[in-house]
Amino acid sequence: MIVGRQLELDRITASIDRMRVTSGAIVIDGPPGIGKTVVLDAAVAHARALGVWVISSRPTRAETRLAFAALSDLLVGADLTTLPPAQRRLLEIVLGREANDGPPPQINELGAAVLGLIEAWTVDGSCLMVAIDDLQWMDATTRDVVSYVMRRLPVARVLVLCSVRAGEPAADPEGLDVPEAERITLQPLTPPAVEALLRQSVASRLPVHILDRVVAVSGGNPFFAIEFGRAMTDAVTHPGRPLPMPASLTALVAGRFRSLPGDTLEVLAAIALLARPSLAELADLELIDAIGPAEAAGIIEIRGRQIAFVHPLLAAAAHDAVPGTQRLALHRRLAEVTHGTERCIHLALGSARPDAGIAAELTLAVGVEVSRGATAEAADLVMLAIDATPADDPLRWDRMLLSGEVLFRAGRTEEAMAQLALARDSASPLVRPRALLALATIEYSHSDDSEAAATLAREVLESTDDPDLLAEAHTVLSRVLYTDFVGAAEHADAALAIIRAREAPAPLALAQALNASAAARFLAGQGLDRAAFDQAIELERGSSVPLADSAFGSLAALLKYADELDESRTMLESITERADVGSLPYALGHLPQLHLWTGRWDEAQRCAQHHLDFAERTQQESQTYAARFNLAVVAAHRGDVSQAEPLGRALYDEGHARGIPWTERNGAALLGFVAMTVGDAGAAADFFARYDSLGELMRLHEPGYARFHGDYVEALVAIGEIDRAVEVLDRHQERAERTRRVSAIATVQRGRALVAAHEGHRDDAFAAAHAAVATLNGTPLIYDSTRALLTLGIVARRFKERGVARDALTAALLAFERMGAASLAERARRELDRVGGRSSAPAAGLAELTATESSVAELAASGQTTRQIADTLFISAKTVEANLTRVYRKLGVANRAQLANRIAGQPQP
């Protein structure tokens, strides 16, 4: 898939689509590696897919002096028998197929022959594209022939598409005599586009911190990015040093440095190693006099008193242009003119052996960077601190523990686990268990297998009697145990008991245990303990707890399931604005379903994709699964079965095979919903039964996590399993009422309505259906509200209450269409068509109106007041008036009487 060039490609494809009307020429230009060939190839593929005949040439530098080399490419496979014998013979001669015993062919004769071929190719209405990549290397003879042809192109059905390298002597398209050629200059890709490109090629093997640096050094050039990415897959990098120059790019820039004197190369290396190079620093280093040749060569530019390379690639080349021993000495000199963290880095990189003092300074710098939210920089520093620590220094183990936390927060998950695995081998009675607990916490995000994380925490419980470690182990176990939420709550209680038995409980330990306890009890169906969360949040205030692990983060997510959607969204969005990279996937992962339930489906899909990008970036496998699940849930609700079903099947099968109930349950939910979407209620009931039983197995009794139970009941009713439906409803109702969960109460009411309607109990069915609508009225649960309206419409239609059915189904249809719920909208439309009377199709004269405008118009024409229309369609009076204004304008009427006549097909009074 082409990345970051859609606008340029759209311009070219528009010209391709116009070929039958007008001929044209397009020149794509830009520097080496910017993506000219990619765009040209994509355009050629588009043309061929439309049935356009394509002739092409891709000349090389070596062919520049080979006469007619490019013309041979263009005419390869061409049927020359359509030409008159004289013209055919001329082309056979220049293509080397016949010997010439007469005068040499003239350019005008060859051009006329090629025009004859073009006419033959397009005589039946067909279109022709002439594609020439790297025009600057085209041989002069072919260039003359092509120029002759282009001055005489037919008025339609021919498009010439060329790419040229900017800055080459032959790159001027005027040399081809291309009249009014459209020029498309490719600009550098944006950083997100470069990252997307890398993800398609090598980014899966790149740690996040190297990925970011590759994006920066590429300067938006896709070729540079890919070459650096490939070179960095196994490279070791250090803060304060540019990325090592890939061998594939060295030749590209070597000429820029070849003529520079040695002292200029040294000053360029110094500039590459400085964070914010300035003239003052170079003066302090006594290097400023050597800068002139580099500026004259266009390698650097001076902006005020600051210095910058004209392209980041040149910084990497400048760093590699001096020997390693010279760079060591240069780092020591730079340490004398820099300050703070940058000075520490130069001290470390300029030292020939590990140094405990330097390592200590770097460790302090790590704390400074973490405190100001610079986790990426802190991660680099902590690794440099470990490297600077002597092998026999006991602080080396502590720094490995620190690196696990910092690396994870910076999104470098696999490196964090590798460092903690090393610390796990320590003989220290404190280092080993803390490494195990840190590994358990990270494993919980890295993998979807919570049992693997729980096993690490249990190992600490079984191997220590230290109260602090025991409390921490119980807390961690409570947070990672996603196979038994009642058991998780019990571990949290054990942690709280140990901590509260201390004379002066550690505030952070108490906060984490309170957080774990309140979260586990919520999931076990014991309600939301706001007091516990508030206390934990207050205890954490001022600490450096990652937001994903904080009480604030836990509460933000759980509020979503407690139907406090507005507060949840506010808190989650605040986390996304200030979280470190490692915590971002957690916050992003809870937003898609929140947007789905509130009817903002485009936003739900955007957030789910954003979540997936960051989950992959930070190597958090469990979050990657969650992101794909969220994308599939949105797709399933939109009716896109082809996207939702494969992921549902993968989650279901993998979760079952590996014994991971949470993953299997998510897969079962997706497959059940997909089955209902395609009308297979029997299969849906089976999948939802597994979904339900896994929740019971995990003792996941919070009804906010049972969002598919309404569909489960609907499937059971559809296949006549009424007793099972009632059992599910009874169990769900008890938990809904105990937790006072509005969404769950409405789900039960909706299910009761369907059961009663199936059994023919009219009054009970209407009472339950109306209750579901009323329960959700005024809440932000737009999706649930619309499902309740659909249920009311179905019940009313079944009992022939056409007016109620029509109003409820119309409102549901409009809401589903606004959300983009294609399959549910179609279901509402079918139900509406079965009501009889007014059809869901646009009335006469209303075809140009939107669905909302059409419904407002029909109700207004029937005599309903603005307030009545608003109540019927569940929209505001202001929205009704706005829609009526647009209706009047579109239909050319001035009032409701004229509107009624227009709809009825009568002449206006």
Side-chain angles (χ1 to χ4, degrees):
M1 182 180 72
I2 193 167
V3 174
R5 298 297 185 201
Q6 197 57 52
L7 290 176
E8 293 90 343
L9 190 57
D10 286 347
R11 287 174 61 185
I12 299 172
T13 54
S15 294
I16 294 172
D17 295 340
R18 292 194 301 268
M19 286 174 66
R20 294 191 183 281
V21 178
T22 179
S23 293
I26 299 174
V27 177
I28 308 167
D29 71 4
I34 202 67
K36 301 181 296 296
T37 298
V38 172
V39 173
L40 185 140
D41 287 347
V44 166
H46 177 80
R48 283 181 170 144
L50 295 177
V52 174
W53 179 256
V54 178
I55 61 173
S56 63
S57 175
R58 186 165 287 167
T60 64
R61 186 191 294 266
E63 296 172 337
T64 304
R65 300 186 183 281
L66 295 179
F68 298 115
L71 187 63
S72 297
D73 291 339
L74 291 171
L75 300 185
V76 66
D79 180 8
L80 304 184
T81 61
T82 59
L83 295 174
Q87 288 187 339
R88 183 173 69 247
R89 185 170 184 277
L90 286 174
L91 290 180
E92 295 281 12
I93 289 171
V94 299
L95 295 177
R97 299 174 187 173
E98 283 191 20
N100 184 19
D101 54 2
Q106 300 299 304
I107 293 300
N108 62 326
E109 296 174 328
L110 293 172
V114 173
L115 282 170
L117 284 175
I118 292 174
E119 181 179 355
W121 283 328
T122 59
V123 69
D124 61 350
S126 298
C127 293
L128 171 70
M129 173 185 279
V130 182
I132 304 171
D133 195 15
D134 277 332
L135 173 67
Q136 70 275 0
W137 307 133
M138 179 182 281
D139 61 275
T141 49
T142 300
R143 192 180 183 87
D144 289 342
V145 173
V146 173
S147 295
Y148 178 93
V149 169
M150 294 195 68
R151 290 193 296 271
R152 296 165 177 82
L153 283 179
V155 296
R157 297 195 295 279
V158 179
L159 178 66
V160 179
L161 180 64
C162 306
S163 75
V164 295
R165 180 179 294 186
E168 294 290 341
D172 185 0
E174 295 303 320
L176 269 183
D177 289 334
V178 183
E180 300 180 0
E182 179 182 0
R183 181 180 288 270
I184 297 177
T185 301
L186 298 187
Q187 301 298 326
L189 294 177
T190 63
V194 174
E195 184 172 330
L197 178 69
L198 287 166
R199 291 200 178 286
Q200 287 186 1
S201 50
V202 297
S204 60
R205 304 189 298 275
L206 289 179
V208 60
H209 66 299
I210 295 181
L211 177 64
D212 288 341
R213 295 180 69 184
V214 169
V215 169
V217 78
S218 73
N221 186 297
F223 175 68
F224 296 171
I226 290 173
E227 290 305 302
F228 265 103
R230 286 173 178 159
M232 294 305 108
T233 52
D234 298 312
V236 177
T237 64
H238 294 284
R241 294 179 183 171
L243 294 178
M245 189 77 170
S248 57
L249 297 181
T250 300
L252 197 64
V253 297
R256 304 284 291 273
F257 294 87
R258 193 173 292 122
S259 61
L260 296 178
D263 56 350
T264 300
L265 291 177
E266 183 179 29
V267 75
L268 287 175
I271 295 170
L273 291 172
L274 286 165
R276 287 172 294 277
S278 67
L279 294 175
E281 288 171 316
L282 294 185
D284 290 342
L285 291 167
E286 299 181 353
L287 292 173
I288 198 166
D289 292 339
I291 201 172
E295 186 179 13
I299 294 174
I300 61 166
E301 55 186 358
I302 299 174
R303 306 165 185 165
R305 291 184 174 83
Q306 299 300 123
I307 309 167
F309 286 94
V310 296
H311 192 285
L313 180 71
L314 296 174
H319 174 273
D320 292 351
V322 299
T325 53
Q326 189 175 352
R327 286 198 298 269
L328 274 175
L330 195 52
H331 277 297
R332 290 194 292 271
R333 292 177 66 187
L334 292 174
E336 297 173 2
V337 299
T338 53
H339 307 279
T341 299
E342 187 176 4
R343 173 182 170 275
C344 291
I345 292 171
H346 288 304
L347 283 173
L349 296 179
S351 177
R353 60 176 61 86
D355 185 296
I358 294 174
E361 285 195 56
L362 286 167
T363 305
L364 289 175
V366 171
V368 171
E369 297 301 316
V370 169
S371 68
R372 67 188 189 96
T375 51
E377 291 77 6
D380 282 339
L381 289 173
V382 77
M383 295 303 291
L384 202 56
I386 292 172
D387 188 56
T389 305
D392 58 352
D393 190 335
L395 291 176
R396 186 178 180 84
W397 298 111
D398 294 316
R399 287 168 188 153
M400 284 182 178
L401 283 175
L402 176 63
S403 72
E405 175 191 345
V406 175
L407 288 166
F408 180 67
R409 292 180 66 162
R412 297 161 64 172
T413 301
E414 292 180 1
E415 287 180 87
M417 296 184 72
Q419 287 297 314
L420 291 170
L422 292 173
R424 180 182 180 178
D425 294 335
S426 167
S428 167
L430 290 178
V431 171
R432 175 178 169 77
R434 294 200 182 282
L436 286 167
L437 293 175
L439 272 172
T441 302
I442 295 176
E443 179 65 36
Y444 171 65
S445 293
H446 178 255
S447 166
D448 62 339
D449 186 357
S450 72
E451 192 56 35
T455 299
L456 294 167
R458 290 192 188 102
E459 185 177 339
V460 176
L461 284 178
E462 295 165 1
S463 62
T464 186
D465 55 4
D466 182 289
D468 292 336
L469 288 173
L470 286 172
E472 187 177 350
H474 278 298
T475 298
V476 170
L477 192 52
S478 174
R479 296 189 59 219
V480 304
L481 193 59
Y482 259 52
T483 53
D484 178 5
F485 292 106
V486 173
E490 292 169 353
H491 279 291
D493 289 343
L496 283 171
I498 295 171
I499 293 168
R500 285 170 172 161
R502 308 294 291 249
E503 287 186 12
L508 201 51
L510 179 57
Q512 291 172 334
L514 285 167
N515 179 12
S517 175
R521 291 188 178 283
F522 179 84
L523 289 160
Q526 297 174 28
L528 186 65
D529 188 347
R530 286 299 296 259
F533 276 118
D534 289 344
Q535 183 184 358
I537 290 170
E538 186 59 34
L539 288 167
E540 286 178 350
R541 197 175 304 281
S543 73
S544 61
V545 176
L547 284 168
D549 296 332
S550 68
F552 183 89
S554 295
L555 178 60
L558 299 186
L559 284 170
K560 176 183 79 171
Y561 298 105
D563 295 333
E564 299 293 342
L565 302 186
D566 292 338
E567 186 178 4
S568 175
R569 181 171 60 249
T570 299
M571 294 175 70
L572 288 169
E573 288 176 348
S574 77
I575 293 175
T576 64
E577 292 170 1
R578 56 195 178 93
D580 53 61
V581 174
S583 292
L584 264 177
Y586 170 84
L588 291 171
H590 284 286
L591 283 168
Q593 289 183 6
L594 190 152
H595 291 310
L596 186 76
W597 300 339
T598 54
R600 302 164 65 189
W601 288 19
D602 289 341
E603 187 67 9
Q605 185 164 342
R606 187 194 68 79
C607 279
Q609 185 60 56
H610 198 193
H611 179 208
L612 178 60
D613 292 343
F614 267 94
E616 291 178 338
R617 220 180 153 208
T618 55
Q619 304 163 333
Q620 296 184 33
E621 181 182 291
S622 65
Q623 290 292 340
T624 300
Y625 274 114
R628 289 178 176 151
F629 173 74
N630 283 334
L631 280 170
V633 166
V634 175
H637 281 73
R638 288 190 186 277
D640 186 355
V641 172
S642 62
Q643 180 177 338
E645 196 278 337
L647 179 62
R649 175 61 61 184
L651 291 172
Y652 184 77
D653 291 344
E654 182 168 348
H656 182 76
R658 294 172 58 195
I660 305 172
W662 189 267
T663 301
E664 184 183 352
R665 183 174 182 268
N666 283 342
L670 267 175
L671 292 175
F673 192 87
V674 166
M676 283 296 288
T677 299
V678 300
D680 190 347
D686 289 341
F687 284 122
F688 284 135
R690 182 60 179 164
Y691 166 82
D692 182 53
S693 66
L694 286 168
E696 295 301 300
L697 179 68
M698 293 185 287
R699 296 198 275 185
L700 179 58
H701 296 162
E702 164 52 46
Y705 281 85
R707 298 281 171 164
F708 291 95
H709 274 54
D711 299 284
Y712 182 21
V713 169
E714 191 171 326
L716 291 172
V717 171
I719 62 175
E721 293 279 356
I722 303 303
D723 289 343
R724 285 175 62 195
V726 171
E727 184 276 323
V728 172
L729 287 169
D730 289 345
R731 176 161 37 89
H732 201 52
Q733 181 172 348
E734 185 275 325
R735 294 169 184 171
E737 291 177 346
R738 171 161 39 85
T739 57
R740 293 179 290 182
R741 201 68 68 237
V742 170
S743 59
I745 290 170
T747 295
V748 171
Q749 291 165 334
R750 186 157 58 91
R752 299 284 188 202
L754 293 173
V755 169
H758 183 275
E759 295 183 328
H761 301 317
R762 180 186 183 284
D763 292 345
D764 290 343
F766 266 107
H770 278 295
V773 173
T775 296
L776 294 165
N777 189 34
T779 73
L781 293 158
I782 303 299
Y783 173 69
D784 294 82
S785 297
T786 309
R787 292 294 298 266
L789 282 170
L790 177 60
T791 299
L792 175 59
I794 291 171
V795 168
R797 184 199 59 76
R798 181 183 183 91
F799 292 107
K800 304 189 187 309
E801 292 284 349
R802 289 187 174 86
V804 176
R806 187 180 300 113
D807 290 347
L809 291 170
T810 298
L813 172 61
L814 294 174
F816 283 138
E817 287 180 338
R818 282 195 295 270
M819 283 183 263
S823 58
L824 287 167
E826 179 57 31
R827 183 177 176 189
R829 193 175 292 108
R830 289 197 306 268
E831 291 286 343
L832 195 54
D833 288 340
R834 294 171 66 187
V835 170
R838 191 164 71 244
S839 169
S840 64
L846 302 188
E848 63 265 52
L849 304 182
T850 67
T852 302
E853 290 167 353
S854 179
S855 296
V856 168
E858 288 192 48
L859 293 173
S862 71
Q864 286 196 18
T865 66
T866 297
R867 173 47 57 194
Q868 288 171 329
I869 297 171
D871 292 342
T872 298
L873 299 182
F874 294 88
I875 57 180
S876 69
K878 185 176 181 180
T879 301
V880 172
E881 293 294 347
N883 277 279
L884 273 176
T885 299
R886 290 193 294 271
V887 167
Y888 291 164
R889 184 179 68 250
K890 288 182 178 181
L891 300 186
V893 298
N895 53 49
R896 295 190 182 210
Q898 291 181 2
L899 175 63
N901 289 334
R902 175 66 184 273
I903 290 175
Q906 299 174 7
Q908 299 300 328

